[in-house]
Amino acid sequence: MAVDYGLKGHAAVVTGSTSGIGQAMAHALAEQGVDVILNGFGDPAQIEADRRALEARTGVRALYHGADMTRPAEIEDMIDLARREFGRLDILVNNAGIQHVAAVDEFPPEKWDAVIAINLSSVFHATRAALPIMKAQGRGRIVNIASAHGLVASPFKSAYVAAKHGVVGFTKTVALETARQGITCNAICPGYVKTPLVEKQIGDQARTHGIPEDRVVAEVILASQPNKAFVTYEQLAGLMCYLVSDLGASATGSAYSIDGGWTAA
């Protein structure tokens, strides 16, 4: 049975929402009656087709803004689009992210800068633009999609780990600053989710190591997750919907692990 989180008529911006986790978050909000601004890269025709289909299926307004998460002015304009078109902004989900894997002494500086810009700095720029709208309303919900790597480290992922740790710290600061203004800010820290990017990694690793894909999943991809199961989109969306609803009004400044036990050790 579907849960009604009392969000009908609210408005949201979800960054990096043309695929993967962000797309699942945006769709979950739309299904709750939330008008949503989509954002991300991809084939323009496919993005438009998906946008139209989402509107037709849910009856909400779904708009698209192609803000580049490395460009603060474009991020600010995306946030302002919610104010211009919806007259409000209740929910901000900072999800956009990229990855690059290399040893620290071999890490290309331009890749470091890109990961920090998209995974960390864009969270600041979007939040900075959203807070005046939320403060004027006396209510707002910010959810930052961090990672298990916002709590623990892995080798060869220095930029990603640094950025996600930064997201968790930034989340706590925003929560403290807005604690008495009807605004909450939380981070969700997923373990591995079977996104299109991870599915590609599974196939690549199977070919590289010459082992079946199920062994890649258990022994390589999910080696750090005790339950040996991917986190699902539905599980992430359920936690997000709770946090942005009135039920989550006292939940702020926290980093919620949803990682199959990865960070319990």
Side-chain angles (χ1 to χ4, degrees), residues 206-224:
R207 287 187 292 274
T208 298
H209 296 288
I211 60 176
E213 290 192 358
D214 59 344
R215 281 189 61 194
V216 172
V217 170
E219 298 174 16
V220 180
I221 302 295
L222 298 181
S224 299

Side-chain angles (χ1 to χ4, degrees), residues 116-253:
I116 296 300
I118 295 172
N119 293 26
L120 177 58
S121 295
S122 74
V123 177
F124 160 74
H125 292 299
T127 302
R128 178 180 179 274
L131 281 175
I133 303 172
M134 293 178 173
K135 287 180 178 180
Q137 295 170 173
R139 188 190 189 282
R141 299 286 187 268
I142 300 169
V143 176
N144 300 321
I145 307 304
S147 167
H149 282 121
L151 303 171
V152 296
S154 291
F156 309 113
K157 298 180 180 180
S158 57
Y160 190 84
V161 170
K164 293 303 186 179
H165 272 68
V167 167
V168 171
F170 179 74
T171 297
K172 294 177 180 181
T173 295
V174 173
L176 292 175
E177 290 183 7
T178 60
R180 298 184 65 183
Q181 298 177 40
I183 299 168
T184 68
C185 185
N186 291 285
I188 295 177
C189 299
Y192 278 101
V193 183
K194 202 171 186 180
T195 63
L197 180 62
V198 169
E199 289 182 344
K200 181 179 182 301
Q201 289 177 4
I202 293 170
D204 290 346
Q205 292 274 10
R207 287 187 292 274
T208 298
H209 296 288
I211 60 176
E213 290 192 358
D214 59 344
R215 281 189 61 194
V216 172
V217 170
E219 298 174 16
V220 180
I221 302 295
L222 298 181
S224 299
Q225 290 188 208
N227 70 344
K228 303 302 179 188
F230 284 105
V231 181
T232 69
Y233 291 140
E234 292 79 11
Q235 290 162 352
L236 292 174
L239 177 55
M240 182 269 302
C241 285
Y242 162 76
L243 291 173
V244 303
S245 74
D246 286 343
L247 294 173
S250 292
T252 193

Side-chain angles (χ1 to χ4, degrees), residues 37 75-85 89 129 133:
I37 292 177
I75 296 171
E76 186 172 349
D77 187 69
M78 175 184 63
I79 297 298
D80 194 56
L81 180 64
R83 182 193 59 78
R84 299 195 305 266
E85 293 294 327
L89 176 59
I133 303 172

Side-chain angles (χ1 to χ4, degrees), residues 4-17:
D4 182 356
Y5 288 93
L7 300 173
K8 186 175 177 60
H10 287 198
V13 171
V14 184
T15 69
S17 50

